[in-house]
Amino acid sequence: MATTIKDIAKKAGVSISTVSLVLNRKGYVAPETKERISSVMKQMNYKPLHSARKLATQKTGNIGYIIWEGHFSEVEMFYSQIFLGMEYAARKSDSYILLTTVKEDFDPKNDLPRFLKYNDVDGVALAGRVSHALIEYLDNQQLPFVLIDYELPGKSFNCVKIDNYNGAFRAVENLVLADKKHIAFIGGTFFHPSIKERYRGYREALEKYNLANDGYLKKYSYCENIETSRAIGENGATKLLNRHPEIDAIFCCNDTTAMGVITGIQKIGKRIPQEIAVVGFDDIPPAEYNIPKLSTLRVPKLEIGKQAFMLLNELINNPNMVPQTRMISVDLVIRESSHSESNER
Amino acid sequence: MATTIKDIAKKAGVSISTVSLVLNRKGYVAPETKERISSVMKQMNYKPLHSARKLATQKTGNIGYIIWEGHFSEVEMFYSQIFLGMEYAARKSDSYILLTTVKEDFDPKNDLPRFLKYNDVDGVALAGRVSHALIEYLDNQQLPFVLIDYELPGKSFNCVKIDNYNGAFRAVENLVLADKKHIAFIGGTFFHPSIKERYRGYREALEKYNLANDGYLKKYSYCENIETSRAIGENGATKLLNRHPEIDAIFCCNDTTAMGVITGIQKIGKRIPQEIAVVGFDDIPPAEYNIPKLSTLRVPKLEIGKQAFMLLNELINNPNMVPQTRMISVDLVIRESSHSESNER
DNA sequence: CTGAAAGCGCTTACAG
DNA sequence: CTGAAAGCGCTTACAG
């Protein structure tokens, strides 16, 4: 038997109520009693039983983290890093993040994650593209939730977003200022709002410098309407460069695609970045180890997780809160793939 | 207020004890009462409160999944797939898997995961290489645990392992039978037992066919004493092929490395698989989408997670169980990178 | 086959 | 500033 609050009370010569008070840092307890109790707790290595506490407070102390199965299993380390950010934040507040996946053809009747089925969470974070049926379900249940890196047009839910537009804009502007004239875009499905926004940033930066005239966008954009992958990048680069050898820079919808693009360029035999500059988005770990090292926009994944956790907690404690969107900025990280000086030093 | 066991009892006209019995499928309850109670539960959408149940049964219903921070964040989707396998298995038994990371310089005094600190798990799964201090701690605490894809020489802990040796042996034998004469090995640190075993399989397969004479192994092996990465593969392939152009096959310690190897070979301009065959290990998702598609040994990651979960549960229910090792077989998957016919069809 | 009752370990008004 | 007591929602011997 582990030691309980009773043992502590007895040993410290007080009632369990008092022990509970110091445990929860609530009410006033005489400094000396407090001190005594604390030392007894430490000495007996006391650990309050969570389930008892939860039963009494009627809170679960758990937060659900839901992600589409495909996203979790695919190339992207992206959403697991965000999970990690939440987990870090959770450590401080003693709650647990329950990670689970949901099928692409999710049906609330049959596929409900069990922590939802059994009311084992106080709130839920939804990472990335996720079933609208699920969002609706949560909304109806009045269970607090936040969307991460996702949104529904016309709806105002609590969410944490990446500043895709400004990041893309800055990256492309940077290429223009580096005297690149023919800047291509390679990407995956626009179904995901992030990709769409990145494209918008690309387009508007070109417009600002009056580059996006006549067929420019059409000629220099290559998108496949599927989840992003290296393959898209490699295909895209090959096709685009064969058709338009004047291309001197490629802005990619994310790093995974960019790494494929680099492979494609290398096979054709052009030099990066001297002949073609490549910029990605996300700054996933392999970006830094790629050869050449990939220039990209650093998305602060841990910070996003943290913000999601904090927003969700506010929401849990104050269910009538006005919905808000937190937009997290990104940093342009210049590495070898877009910075010709790096080879001349 | 959610509906409780009392509401059910009242509505069904029985005591809460009886409701509890049907809830837990225990003891005998008259079929008709049982039926009545079940239908009331369904009708009222009753969900037993886990924390109350846990308090009464003195079990947490949670299982911890611990992984080194580096492993979780790096390229490998490997351990998160295993996590997913555990999570799938857990769904059936209504328990939760709490995923957390531990720092590389883990110190049990300060860095203890909070589910360990607060006794919130019934057992723990340790994925991959993990701090020995942590293993020792768990052993001392008599907390049930299983090692996944890891072991300590001389110790007999419960563990789930990959059949690295036989997989590697089979892959290399397959290359030999395909008439490859100069088969290289490229890998990362042998600190991880899996890599070491894969190398052993490589060596012994060569020995079987009397290939591993004189300097063969030395000449054709390239290892860097760090975590595996694409970069190792690309470097290794470049160096090895420049020095020994006769190499006609490369067996890689894992897929990540193999993908780097392929890039390296492509840059040199040799054809895969006609001039050089490449085989990886793990079958991570990108292997299938790589260009060319990567031949590899498929490690059934979900199955490993499931076995780990089941083994851990047995252990929890029977703490004095004789420790066992479950060795999970791998499958040789032939794709384009080692199968010249695929290009001739 | 079913019910009354004690108990799991904590929190929280409420007295004093 | 501290204690007695009720209560959180369930399980589990024990009667009957």
Side-chain angles (χ1 to χ4, degrees):
Chain A
M1 294 297 103
T3 102
T4 76
I5 199 173
K6 271 187 197 161
D7 303 325
I8 304 296
K10 191 180 293 176
K11 187 132 184 183
V14 294
S15 75
I16 62 165
S17 319
T18 311
V19 177
S20 177
L21 288 182
V22 347
L23 211 51
N24 296 290
R25 296 180 184 73
K26 271 187 185 167
Y28 277 101
V29 179
E32 45 201 46
T33 1
K34 191 182 216 162
E35 185 55 42
R36 185 154 35 95
I37 293 173
S38 297
S39 84
V40 171
M41 292 201 304
K42 186 161 284 174
Q43 178 191 328
M44 299 188 71
N45 190 24
Y46 171 62
K47 305 162 181 180
L49 225 210
H50 268 175
S51 53
R53 198 174 224 173
K54 288 171 183 173
L55 179 56
T57 58
Q58 299 287 77
K59 289 221 165 188
T60 71
N62 294 331
I63 282 181
Y65 183 86
I66 303 183
I67 185 169
W68 275 29
E69 219 162 272
H71 272 149
F72 190 70
S73 303
E74 288 306 316
V75 204
E76 320 218 24
M77 297 273 13
F78 196 77
Y79 294 112
S80 29
Q81 285 292 107
I82 291 176
F83 167 84
L84 206 54
M86 290 197 72
E87 160 69 14
Y88 287 157
R91 287 180 192 177
K92 284 173 197 150
S93 69
D94 261 11
S95 50
Y96 295 112
I97 316 288
L98 304 180
L99 167 58
T100 200
T101 59
V102 131
K103 288 192 290 188
E104 267 68 4
D105 59 346
F106 171 82
D107 164 21
K109 282 210 181 50
N110 307 311
D111 308 325
L112 219 52
R114 59 202 187 293
F115 55 63
L116 249 32
K117 207 148 91 189
Y118 296 117
N119 281 132
D120 271 336
V121 291
D122 300 326
V124 172
L126 303 172
R129 182 141 70 92
V130 89
S131 157
H132 293 193
L134 175 56
I135 297 178
E136 228 167 76
Y137 173 87
L138 294 171
D139 203 24
N140 288 336
Q141 295 285 312
Q142 311 228 44
L143 192 70
F145 69 94
V146 304
L147 303 178
I148 299 174
D149 188 28
Y150 196 62
E151 65 190 323
L152 267 72
K155 300 276 187 174
S156 43
F157 295 128
N158 285 284
C159 65
V160 177
K161 285 169 48 177
I162 297 163
D163 194 354
N164 294 298
Y165 170 76
N166 285 305
F169 192 100
R170 204 175 324 143
V172 174
E173 183 166 45
N174 187 276
L175 290 169
V176 172
L177 297 178
D179 224 33
K180 299 295 183 179
K181 302 293 185 202
H182 309 280
I183 305 171
F185 179 90
I186 296 185
T189 177
F190 278 30
F191 196 95
H192 194 118
S194 284
I195 309 286
K196 202 166 146 191
E197 282 292 283
R198 289 170 191 183
Y199 182 76
R200 191 166 68 88
Y202 160 77
R203 177 163 47 78
E204 298 195 6
L206 293 176
E207 280 165 359
K208 175 175 172 188
Y209 293 96
N210 295 316
L211 283 169
N213 48 21
D214 24 311
Y216 194 108
L217 289 177
K218 206 174 215 173
K219 262 163 61 182
Y220 298 145
S221 297
Y222 176 91
C223 291
E224 294 186 28
N225 198 21
I226 52 176
E227 288 288 323
T228 58
S229 67
R230 280 191 163 248
I232 291 183
E234 190 163 344
N235 286 338
T238 308
K239 289 191 187 151
L240 240 36
L241 291 176
N242 281 332
R243 249 179 282 165
H244 310 291
E246 73 275 17
I247 287 173
D248 51 10
I250 302 180
F251 174 61
C252 310
C253 76
N254 63 16
D255 289 350
T256 304
T257 307
M259 293 189 294
V261 164
I262 286 180
T263 306
I265 297 174
Q266 287 171 335
K267 285 190 182 165
I268 287 181
K270 294 213 175 187
R271 286 177 307 150
I272 303 171
Q274 294 87 342
E275 294 174 89
I276 305 187
V278 178
V279 179
F281 209 118
D282 288 349
D283 199 27
I284 56 177
E288 199 178 340
Y289 304 112
N290 200 67
I291 307 176
K293 294 184 181 117
L294 184 62
S295 294
T296 188
L297 290 141
R298 170 172 299 149
V299 176
K301 295 162 280 290
L302 296 179
E303 179 65 21
I304 289 173
K306 183 179 165 189
Q307 289 300 328
F309 180 81
M310 286 167 44
L311 178 54
L312 188 51
N313 264 328
E314 279 181 39
L315 192 59
I316 289 169
N317 296 322
N318 177 13
N320 298 318
M321 206 173 91
V322 174
Q324 63 175 254
T325 294
R326 298 194 182 176
M327 180 81 90
I328 311 295
S329 298
V330 300
D331 262 352
L332 180 58
V333 183
I334 304 282
R335 297 205 185 95
E336 299 167 355
S337 72
S338 75
H339 189 232
S340 39
E341 281 91 318
S342 68
N343 276 333
E344 296 164 2
R345 274 185 197 139
Chain B
M1 290 301 102
T3 103
T4 74
I5 199 172
K6 271 188 197 162
D7 304 325
I8 304 295
K10 192 180 292 175
K11 188 134 185 183
V14 293
S15 75
I16 62 166
S17 319
T18 311
V19 177
S20 176
L21 287 183
V22 348
L23 210 52
N24 296 289
R25 296 179 184 71
K26 273 189 187 168
Y28 277 103
V29 179
E32 47 199 47
T33 4
K34 192 181 215 164
E35 187 53 43
R36 184 154 34 95
I37 293 174
S38 296
S39 83
V40 171
M41 292 200 303
K42 187 160 283 174
Q43 179 191 328
M44 300 189 71
N45 190 24
Y46 171 62
K47 305 164 183 180
L49 226 210
H50 268 175
S51 52
R53 197 173 224 175
K54 287 172 185 174
L55 180 56
T57 58
Q58 298 287 77
K59 286 220 169 190
T60 71
N62 294 330
I63 282 182
Y65 184 85
I66 304 182
I67 187 170
W68 274 29
E69 220 162 271
H71 273 150
F72 190 69
S73 303
E74 288 306 317
V75 202
E76 320 219 22
M77 299 273 11
F78 196 78
Y79 295 113
S80 28
Q81 286 292 109
I82 291 177
F83 167 85
L84 207 53
M86 291 196 70
E87 160 69 14
Y88 288 157
R91 286 180 192 176
K92 285 173 200 151
S93 69
D94 260 12
S95 51
Y96 295 112
I97 315 287
L98 305 179
L99 167 59
T100 199
T101 59
V102 131
K103 290 192 289 189
E104 268 67 5
D105 59 346
F106 171 82
D107 164 20
K109 283 211 181 49
N110 306 312
D111 307 324
L112 219 51
R114 59 202 186 292
F115 56 62
L116 251 31
K117 207 149 92 190
Y118 295 117
N119 283 129
D120 271 335
V121 290
D122 300 326
V124 171
L126 305 171
R129 183 139 72 90
V130 88
S131 158
H132 292 194
L134 175 55
I135 297 179
E136 228 166 76
Y137 174 87
L138 294 172
D139 203 25
N140 288 336
Q141 296 285 311
Q142 311 228 43
L143 193 72
F145 68 95
V146 302
L147 304 178
I148 299 174
D149 188 30
Y150 195 61
E151 64 190 322
L152 268 72
K155 299 277 187 175
S156 43
F157 294 129
N158 284 283
C159 65
V160 177
K161 286 168 50 177
I162 298 162
D163 194 355
N164 295 297
Y165 169 77
N166 286 303
F169 192 102
R170 203 174 325 143
V172 173
E173 184 166 43
N174 188 276
L175 290 170
V176 172
L177 297 177
D179 224 34
K180 299 294 183 180
K181 304 293 184 200
H182 308 281
I183 305 170
F185 179 92
I186 296 185
T189 177
F190 278 30
F191 196 94
H192 195 117
S194 283
I195 310 285
K196 201 167 146 191
E197 283 292 284
R198 290 169 191 184
Y199 182 76
R200 191 166 68 88
Y202 160 76
R203 178 163 45 78
E204 297 194 7
L206 293 176
E207 280 165 1
K208 174 174 173 188
Y209 294 95
N210 295 315
L211 283 169
N213 48 20
D214 24 313
Y216 194 108
L217 290 175
K218 207 175 216 172
K219 262 161 64 181
Y220 297 144
S221 297
Y222 176 91
C223 292
E224 294 186 27
N225 197 22
I226 52 175
E227 288 288 323
T228 58
S229 69
R230 278 189 166 254
I232 291 184
E234 190 163 343
N235 285 338
T238 310
K239 289 193 186 151
L240 239 36
L241 291 175
N242 282 332
R243 251 178 280 166
H244 310 290
E246 72 276 16
I247 287 173
D248 52 10
I250 302 182
F251 174 61
C252 309
C253 76
N254 64 16
D255 289 350
T256 305
T257 307
M259 292 190 295
V261 163
I262 287 179
T263 307
I265 297 174
Q266 288 170 334
K267 285 191 181 164
I268 286 181
K270 294 214 175 185
R271 287 178 306 151
I272 302 171
Q274 296 86 342
E275 295 174 88
I276 305 187
V278 178
V279 179
F281 209 118
D282 287 350
D283 198 28
I284 57 176
E288 199 178 339
Y289 303 111
N290 201 67
I291 310 177
K293 295 186 181 115
L294 185 61
S295 294
T296 187
L297 291 141
R298 170 173 298 148
V299 176
K301 295 163 279 292
L302 296 178
E303 178 65 22
I304 290 173
K306 183 178 166 191
Q307 289 299 328
F309 181 81
M310 286 168 44
L311 178 55
L312 188 52
N313 265 327
E314 281 181 36
L315 192 59
I316 289 170
N317 295 323
N318 176 13
N320 298 318
M321 206 172 90
V322 174
Q324 63 174 254
T325 294
R326 297 194 183 175
M327 178 82 89
I328 311 295
S329 299
V330 299
D331 261 351
L332 180 58
V333 183
I334 303 283
R335 298 204 186 94
E336 300 166 354
S337 74
S338 75
H339 189 230
S340 36
E341 282 90 317
S342 69
N343 275 334
E344 295 165 3
R345 273 187 199 138

